[in-house]
Amino acid sequence: MGRRLVWGLLIAFLCCAISLFLAPNDLHRSLVAATNHAQQDHHVNRAYNDALAKSILFFEGQRSGKLPADQRVTWRGDSALADGQPDNVNLVGGYYDAGDNVKFGWTISYTTSLLSWAAIEYRQQITSAGEIEHLRQAIRWATDFLLRSHTSSTTFYTQVGDGNKDHSCWERPEDMDTPRTLYKITSQNPGSEAAGDAAAALAAASMVFEHVDAAYSSKLLQHAKSLFEFADKYRGSYGASCPFYCSYSGYQADVHAYE
């Protein structure tokens, strides 16, 4: 009985000793793991923030027109300051498409819609990354151009520049000497797809600026409604008159989606 008691006390003591020995190490390992996880999260967040910032910065490199004083892509200069003059309209601004110097209203509209929905759906995350104002500026650079392109209730300029001649000459927009040919849709030459996409872009952007610049938001919505009415009333495929980025599936999806 005495020997059992001794062995029992010894085993209990060893168990206590082992637990006291392991506990600090387990705690240490837990702390190290938590620290490493936090560091990994920090590095991952920094990487995502950096990717987000560079993605938005990309659009400043695509800017056309008179660049603002706060332009961050400093190697880009003013360009295409006479766009629209052949028709006595102001089509300065907007974005160049890809690596060329043509401005396509349809692709600008699509891009604007995507940027706007990102600003709406992920406003909190983009704000925490410190990029919400840069994103709004990117959207507004596009919407300002779309507003200028909508010169009347039945006129919308869809392209500035000759795509074929531009694509045969690789040059900086600051130095370009290719024709700045103008293309537009009207009641006689409709393009419901292009007008519908522009309407969607301006409507989405109006939501971005609703609580930031109410007057500008209202202006965007007004033009969005007008463009939709234009697309709906004068139904016709953009594929019949467009020189580039034509429609191959018809206008029905672009118009009926908003009905």
Side-chain angles (χ1 to χ4, degrees), residues 38-88:
Q39 289 176 342
Q40 290 174 357
D41 284 348
H42 175 68
H43 290 312
V44 168
N45 287 337
R46 284 184 58 187
Y48 276 116
N49 288 350
D50 188 50
L52 176 65
K54 285 182 169 60
S55 297
I56 297 172
L57 182 64
F58 165 82
F59 289 95
E60 293 194 21
Q62 296 295 109
R63 283 175 172 175
S64 175
K66 180 69 176 177
L67 302 184
D70 60 356
Q71 169 82 6
R72 294 178 295 163
V73 180
T74 56
W75 47 263
R76 175 64 72 221
D78 299 341
S79 61
L81 299 180
D83 279 357
Q85 283 189 1
D87 284 7
N88 294 316

Side-chain angles (χ1 to χ4, degrees), residues 29-211:
R29 282 193 291 269
S30 298
L31 290 174
V32 170
T35 301
N36 289 339
H37 186 69
Q39 289 176 342
Q40 290 174 357
D41 284 348
H42 175 68
H43 290 312
V44 168
N45 287 337
R46 284 184 58 187
Y48 276 116
N49 288 350
D50 188 50
L52 176 65
K54 285 182 169 60
S55 297
I56 297 172
L57 182 64
F58 165 82
F59 289 95
E60 293 194 21
Q62 296 295 109
R63 283 175 172 175
S64 175
K66 180 69 176 177
L67 302 184
D70 60 356
Q71 169 82 6
R72 294 178 295 163
V73 180
T74 56
W75 47 263
R76 175 64 72 221
D78 299 341
S79 61
L81 299 180
D83 279 357
Q85 283 189 1
D87 284 7
N88 294 316
V89 294
N90 177 13
L91 297 177
V92 176
Y95 290 113
Y96 294 118
D97 180 74
D100 55 49
N101 300 325
V102 184
K103 297 187 296 192
F104 298 99
W106 202 356
T107 55
I108 290 177
S109 295
Y110 179 79
T111 300
T112 304
S113 293
L114 289 182
L115 292 178
S116 296
W117 282 114
I120 295 167
E121 293 290 332
Y122 301 102
R123 180 179 58 84
Q124 183 178 348
Q125 294 88 336
I126 297 172
T127 299
S128 65
E131 293 296 327
I132 192 65
E133 187 53 37
H134 289 144
L135 180 55
R136 288 179 184 140
Q137 290 173 359
I139 295 169
R140 187 158 188 158
W141 194 267
T143 52
D144 281 349
F145 175 73
L146 293 176
L147 291 176
R148 294 190 196 105
S149 301
H150 187 211
T151 56
S152 78
S153 60
T154 57
T155 305
F156 180 69
Y157 284 84
T158 56
Q159 182 175 323
V160 180
D162 186 314
N164 290 314
K165 293 183 178 179
D166 179 89
H167 291 172
S168 66
C169 181
W170 189 273
E171 59 185 349
R172 299 167 66 242
E174 296 88 345
D175 304 324
M176 65 178 165
D177 53 6
T178 50
R180 304 303 288 167
T181 310
L182 304 178
Y183 300 87
K184 62 186 176 182
I185 54 175
T186 64
S187 56
Q188 288 74 36
N189 295 288
S192 295
E193 302 95 329
D197 270 6
L202 295 179
S206 73
M207 297 172 66
V208 174
F209 294 99
E210 183 177 6
H211 302 295

Side-chain angles (χ1 to χ4, degrees), residues 9-25:
L9 291 173
L10 180 58
I11 292 171
F13 173 79
L14 289 174
C15 288
C16 290
I18 291 172
S19 65
L20 290 172
F21 175 77
L22 291 178
N25 284 276

Side-chain angles (χ1 to χ4, degrees), residues 195-245:
D197 270 6
L202 295 179
S206 73
M207 297 172 66
V208 174
F209 294 99
E210 183 177 6
H211 302 295
V212 180
D213 188 335
Y216 187 67
S217 174
S218 178
K219 183 178 182 180
L220 293 174
L221 187 57
Q222 177 185 354
H223 278 264
K225 291 178 178 179
S226 177
L227 278 164
F228 173 74
E229 291 171 359
F230 174 35
D232 189 32
K233 183 176 182 180
Y234 300 97
R235 296 191 177 193
S237 178
Y238 186 46
S241 60
C242 78
F244 268 87
Y245 293 122

